Amino acid sequence: MLILKGYYFKGILLFLFFTCNYLHGQIVAVTDSLKEALLVANNDSMRITLFLELASQYQDSDSLLTIQYSAKARALALALNDPESSVKSLLPIANMQRNLGNYDEAKKIAQQIILDSEEIGFSHGKGYGYKILSNVARLQGAIEDAIFYGNKSLSEFELSEDQFSIASMLNNLGLIHGHLGKYTKALELYFQSLKIFEEFSNRQYVGKVLNSIGMVYKKQGDYDNALTYYNKALTIQSGLNNLNSVGNALKNIGDVYLSLHEYEKSIEYYDKAAGIFEELGIKKNIGNAHLNRGQALTGLNKNLQAISEYELALSFYSEIGDEEGKSYAFLDKGLSYSTLGDLTKAKFNLERAVRISEKIKFPTTLTRALGVLADVENKLGNSSRAYQLFVRQKTLSDSLTNENSLRKIAQLEAQHEYAKREQQLVAEKKESEFKFQQTIAAEKSFQTMLLLIVSFTLVLSFVIVFAYFAIKGKKCKLESVNEELNSRNIEIELKSNKLKTALQEKEVLVSEIHHRTKNNFLLVQSLLGTEHDETDNKQVKSVLRSVNARLESIRLTYEILDQDNKYDVASLNEYIEKLSKRIYAGFTSSSAVELTLDLEDTPVDKKVIITIGLIINEVLTNSFKHAFGEVGKGKVVVRTFKSGQNLNIDIHDNGKGILLTEAIYGSRGITLIAGLVRQMDGEYEITNDNGTYFHMQIPLATLRNGITADKDYLVNQRDTSDSKEIA
């Protein structure tokens, strides 16, 4: 039996309050609206909700007000014996501590949230506790912990069926995969999150996800898309007056201009972002601002000023334990020292960057640091060490497949082999001289023997020189072959990348088409709903509700196809379950009618699943509206199963039963059902058996192959002669 969650009631009240303000044209800040709502709130439950919302609004900007409103919510929740609200009152404080860089304190509060939620069986609270632990782990560079806690958080939110929280956690997991360089997976998670937030019309979180998508495009070098998404995010966050998010958007736009070598323009954006972060007192973001300014100054060849900015950034990162930030700062500081020619200090800072990147398993800075450190070692004359570093870098990043990097590796390899061969020659020469001296000492009286030994030494030297040049010639040929192979590998990888990009663009385009199709259905449904609300004609209202329900069954098909990324077939059991529950929710309450689903999974063609949905919509709507009369209590069972070459669908209610004259001769709904069943080459019957019993058989071949175009006309026919008469 479905259970309608009671705790959504508070959220609905808040939604109605802010919606009314908007419709009356009141342009008021969110916090002011919440405070006004407190003045008119007439029950303690509503006051708790408003206190929690105020605490959340201030968690990014005012720690004192965050603590004050959280404490008020917690005190009132304890007085009302409301343990769930008591747990929720800890969330804004934990988020505030995380934003301020107080990671240990944030983790303690998150663990308390999890323990309290476990005690009362509150999955939603546990989800938020694990989400905070995942965020802190990511910020501290513990990526494995971040993924572990992120997946636990997502599982808890799915148990609580909280779509908003699921979307938020998908966004966080996207950040983690982007951190690991898994950009395709990150974009997939971000677009799933964006879709849910857009359905909620939550501009604040839409802005955050747009910002994250821009970050992925920036890392991929797609700067046009990056600027597009960053500017969209900035527009939304500026309208919401969310200072922290505005600062992040400005900083990210500066990053793009930095990558485009427009350094003066990037500094302009960094300065704006730094002013906001210093006002809010967010240490990590202040450190980021100094790091970014240093990078821009490096681009302007102002390396001494850049080093000062990197040292300031390191002081903030060290204070809050941000290992990822430290790895960036040491890397950029090493680059500046290398440019200034101070190779010793450059090597020291780059080695620190390598160690930290290895510790936190951060491939982005590790790959760059290895490459720069190899250059420094080569300049210091350590060719063997440089070669080892470049080879290691090649195993970490495909970026080394470009021609310049391959040439550098080949040169270092040649130097390395030459040095080894030179050492071997020296060793052989020393050995020859040692033997020569022994021979002289033993055969001083024999001048002829001395001449033979000298001759032997000359011949041996000639052989060695000849062998050396022969080996060197083979080495050159080998290098030529390697260069040709590497060139072919580069060509293959470029073609592969183009194919991957084209596939990704196709997937995004198809997803966008289905998303727009669903939005168009929603628009039509909204217009029908408006007409329904405005008319007083009961018959018109009934017709509009029926049409709206049929549109919903079609729209749901596109929703399922879009979620699964399958655009030809869909899962019938998932579709029937979602459609039945939505129809159920629209006509009944959980205490009145019990809905039981017994479904066998079957893949179905897209056009067929829409047809089946329209039939089920008609039958269930009839049951919920007419089967139980004024009593309003009963049971409805929906069952699917295969027999032979057919799929069977049974819908049975224990209500007062259908008029047999209507079942035989057909109302408008029965006429529609008859036409739709015939369209699928199926059969159906309607009987009274302790209520209304509907049975339908559809050939499995129709489910697999779809409906042919020449049968579409059957939907409009009113002949119901194929239905079986029931005496």
Side-chain angles (χ1 to χ4, degrees):
M1 182 182 295
L2 295 177
I3 300 174
L4 297 178
K5 304 291 185 182
Y7 56 79
Y8 287 125
F9 177 69
K10 299 175 184 177
I12 293 172
L13 288 176
L14 280 175
F15 173 77
L16 290 174
F17 176 81
F18 292 119
T19 303
C20 290
N21 280 347
Y22 174 77
L23 292 175
H24 285 86
Q26 299 175 359
I27 305 175
V28 183
V30 173
T31 51
D32 291 339
S33 298
L34 290 168
K35 291 174 183 177
E36 290 177 7
L38 271 174
L39 297 176
V40 299
N42 55 10
N43 64 78
D44 289 336
S45 295
M46 188 63 181
R47 290 190 185 92
I48 292 174
T49 302
L50 292 169
F51 282 139
L52 290 175
E53 187 64 27
L54 280 165
S56 298
Q57 290 294 324
Y58 283 115
Q59 69 186 19
D60 292 334
S61 58
D62 194 319
S63 56
L64 291 177
L65 287 176
T66 301
I67 294 172
Q68 175 185 335
Y69 284 116
S70 294
K72 288 182 178 181
R74 189 170 181 81
L76 197 52
L78 291 173
L80 293 177
N81 193 24
D82 183 354
E84 290 188 2
S85 294
S86 179
V87 169
K88 292 178 183 177
S89 68
L90 297 174
L91 295 175
I93 300 176
N95 289 327
M96 175 198 73
Q97 297 290 4
R98 179 203 64 201
N99 291 338
L100 292 174
N102 302 328
Y103 298 140
D104 290 338
E105 190 62 31
K107 287 193 287 187
K108 288 179 183 178
I109 299 172
Q111 289 162 354
Q112 184 63 47
I113 291 171
I114 294 170
L115 288 174
D116 291 349
S117 299
E118 181 72 34
E119 185 176 344
I120 62 175
F122 185 28
S123 295
H124 190 263
K126 288 171 66 180
Y128 267 107
Y130 285 124
K131 179 182 178 182
I132 294 166
L133 290 177
S134 176
N135 286 338
V136 172
R138 178 179 61 81
L139 292 171
Q140 290 186 312
I143 302 304
E144 292 180 357
D145 288 345
I147 294 175
F148 172 76
Y149 289 125
N151 287 327
K152 287 183 74 69
S153 174
L154 186 60
S155 297
E156 296 295 339
F157 286 144
E158 288 173 344
L159 285 176
S160 66
E161 299 180 357
D162 183 352
Q163 292 297 314
F164 185 89
S165 298
I166 289 172
S168 179
M169 197 61 238
L170 287 170
N171 179 60
N172 284 20
L173 287 170
L175 284 173
I176 297 170
H177 283 86
H179 176 95
L180 292 172
K182 299 178 180 179
Y183 301 129
T184 301
K185 180 64 175 178
L187 282 174
E188 176 186 338
L189 292 166
Y190 286 143
F191 280 115
Q192 288 180 24
S193 174
L194 181 63
K195 175 183 172 184
I196 298 174
F197 284 137
E198 286 178 338
E199 289 175 356
F200 275 93
S201 298
N202 189 304
R203 298 179 66 226
Q204 178 179 354
Y205 282 89
V206 167
K208 289 183 178 180
V209 180
L210 289 171
N211 186 67
S212 299
I213 294 172
M215 193 177 301
V216 173
Y217 281 122
K218 189 259 180 184
K219 289 181 179 179
Q220 290 181 310
D222 188 348
Y223 300 124
D224 289 338
N225 267 327
L227 281 174
T228 297
Y229 281 97
Y230 282 152
N231 280 305
K232 286 181 179 179
L234 179 60
T235 300
I236 290 175
Q237 301 296 0
S238 298
L240 295 172
N241 198 27
N242 189 330
L243 292 181
N244 186 34
S245 297
V246 170
N248 283 324
L250 290 168
K251 179 259 181 193
N252 290 334
I253 293 173
D255 288 344
V256 176
Y257 285 118
L258 180 68
S259 299
L260 293 171
H261 306 301
E262 298 184 29
Y263 302 117
E264 296 289 355
K265 200 165 186 177
S266 68
I267 291 175
E268 176 186 339
Y269 279 95
Y270 290 146
D271 287 343
K272 292 178 182 178
I276 293 174
F277 295 144
E278 288 172 359
E279 179 182 347
L280 297 175
I282 303 176
K283 296 177 182 178
K284 175 180 174 58
N285 290 349
I286 298 173
N288 290 342
H290 285 295
L291 178 70
N292 299 141
R293 279 181 55 83
Q295 292 167 341
L297 289 168
T298 298
L300 293 170
N301 292 321
K302 299 179 181 180
N303 286 287
L304 289 176
Q305 297 178 40
I307 290 171
S308 298
E309 294 290 337
Y310 296 143
E311 289 174 346
L312 287 171
L314 277 169
S315 67
F316 283 100
Y317 293 144
S318 299
E319 184 177 349
I320 63 176
D322 185 350
E323 295 297 310
E324 179 183 335
K326 288 165 65 177
S327 70
Y328 277 120
F330 278 120
L331 169 60
D332 291 333
K333 190 177 174 186
L335 278 167
S336 289
Y337 275 123
S338 176
T339 303
L340 291 171
D342 192 339
L343 301 180
T344 301
K345 289 183 179 179
K347 179 179 177 180
F348 171 79
N349 284 279
L350 292 167
E351 287 177 338
R352 292 289 298 275
V354 169
R355 285 198 297 272
I356 294 173
S357 299
E358 289 174 333
K359 173 184 174 184
I360 65 176
K361 298 180 180 179
F362 192 17
T364 303
T365 55
L366 179 58
T367 303
R368 289 185 60 209
L370 286 171
V372 181
L373 183 57
D375 280 333
V376 171
E377 290 284 13
N378 194 38
K379 290 177 183 177
L380 289 170
N382 302 326
S383 59
S384 295
R385 171 66 173 157
Y387 168 69
Q388 293 170 2
L389 290 168
F390 268 113
V391 170
R392 185 178 174 197
Q393 184 199 28
K394 185 177 184 299
T395 63
L396 291 175
S397 173
D398 291 336
S399 64
L400 279 177
T401 56
N402 63 75
E403 183 179 356
N404 291 333
S405 295
L406 290 172
R407 186 183 296 113
K408 185 174 291 184
I409 290 176
Q411 291 172 350
L412 289 170
E413 185 177 4
Q415 293 176 10
H416 176 65
E417 291 296 328
Y418 181 83
K420 285 173 60 179
R421 185 58 184 160
E422 196 170 43
Q423 291 174 359
Q424 182 180 354
L425 288 171
V426 171
E428 289 176 353
K429 184 176 180 181
K430 287 182 179 179
E431 183 180 358
S432 297
E433 289 178 353
F434 175 73
K435 290 180 179 180
F436 179 71
Q437 292 298 330
Q438 280 187 323
T439 303
I440 291 176
E443 302 290 343
K444 288 183 179 181
S445 59
F446 299 100
Q447 295 295 325
T448 55
M449 184 63 70
L450 177 61
L451 181 60
L452 290 173
I453 292 172
V454 172
S455 299
F456 173 76
T457 303
L458 291 174
V459 171
L460 180 62
S461 298
F462 174 77
V463 171
I464 291 172
V465 171
F466 178 80
Y468 168 73
F469 282 108
I471 292 172
K472 186 175 182 181
K474 291 182 178 179
K475 179 66 178 177
C476 291
K477 291 181 180 179
L478 181 60
E479 289 176 1
S480 176
V481 172
N482 285 338
E483 287 184 3
E484 183 178 353
L485 290 175
N486 289 331
S487 177
R488 292 180 181 178
N489 287 338
I490 291 171
E491 182 179 353
I492 291 171
E493 289 185 11
L494 288 174
K495 291 181 179 178
S496 176
N497 289 336
K498 288 181 180 178
L499 290 175
K500 289 178 182 177
T501 301
L503 178 59
Q504 180 181 346
E505 290 174 351
K506 179 181 178 182
E507 290 175 351
V508 172
L509 179 59
V510 173
S511 178
E512 178 66 16
I513 290 171
H514 281 278
H515 179 69
R516 290 178 181 238
T517 301
K518 287 190 298 174
N519 285 348
N520 289 338
F521 274 112
L522 287 172
L523 177 61
V524 174
Q525 289 179 268
S526 176
L527 293 172
L528 290 175
T530 301
E531 294 296 327
H532 173 274
D533 294 339
E534 291 182 354
T535 183
D536 295 327
N537 189 311
K538 293 183 179 180
Q539 185 176 3
V540 172
K541 282 180 176 285
S542 177
V543 171
L544 289 175
R545 280 198 301 270
S546 297
V547 172
N548 214 336
R550 291 163 185 161
L551 287 174
E552 173 65 13
S553 68
I554 299 173
R555 188 192 69 80
L556 184 58
T557 304
Y558 286 96
E559 180 177 315
I560 293 173
L561 293 171
D562 194 25
Q563 288 174 347
D564 294 340
N565 289 327
K566 297 177 180 178
Y567 305 112
D568 295 322
V569 296
S571 172
L572 180 62
N573 68 323
E574 179 184 354
Y575 174 71
I576 292 177
E577 180 180 355
K578 289 187 177 181
L579 177 61
S580 300
K581 289 180 179 179
R582 293 196 184 181
I583 298 171
Y584 172 82
F587 285 96
T588 68
S589 66
S590 60
S591 61
V593 177
E594 179 181 352
L595 174 64
T596 302
L597 302 174
D598 181 10
L599 308 174
E600 182 176 339
D601 190 20
T602 306
V604 181
D605 178 83
K606 178 181 69 176
K607 189 170 182 180
V608 176
I609 203 171
I610 295 175
T611 305
I612 293 173
L614 289 170
I615 294 171
I616 291 174
N617 176 73
E618 293 297 323
V619 177
L620 284 181
T621 299
N622 187 69
S623 290
F624 290 138
K625 286 174 64 177
H626 305 298
F628 307 108
E630 297 180 356
V631 176
K633 293 186 178 180
K635 183 176 181 179
V636 178
V637 178
V638 181
R639 179 170 176 249
T640 65
F641 61 94
K642 297 187 186 75
S643 62
Q645 297 300 315
N646 296 305
L647 174 71
N648 298 272
I649 301 177
D650 291 347
I651 303 175
H652 182 210
D653 66 59
N654 61 351
K656 61 185 181 181
I658 190 171
L659 291 175
L660 292 181
T661 55
E662 181 177 304
I664 295 172
Y665 299 110
S667 63
R668 183 181 294 106
I670 297 297
T671 302
L672 176 61
I673 290 171
L676 293 173
V677 172
R678 190 182 301 109
Q679 190 181 42
M680 296 184 291
D681 293 330
E683 296 180 352
Y684 80 98
E685 63 179 355
I686 302 175
T687 62
N688 281 330
D689 183 8
N690 293 323
T692 301
Y693 177 83
F694 172 82
H695 173 74
M696 174 172 60
Q697 274 192 345
I698 306 170
L700 293 176
T702 300
L703 301 182
R704 290 191 301 267
N705 304 325
I707 300 171
T708 58
D710 60 351
K711 295 179 183 177
D712 288 348
Y713 77 94
L714 291 173
V715 177
N716 297 318
Q717 303 303 310
R718 301 188 57 86
D719 181 13
T720 61
S721 60
D722 284 354
S723 62
K724 298 181 179 180
E725 294 190 5
I726 307 299

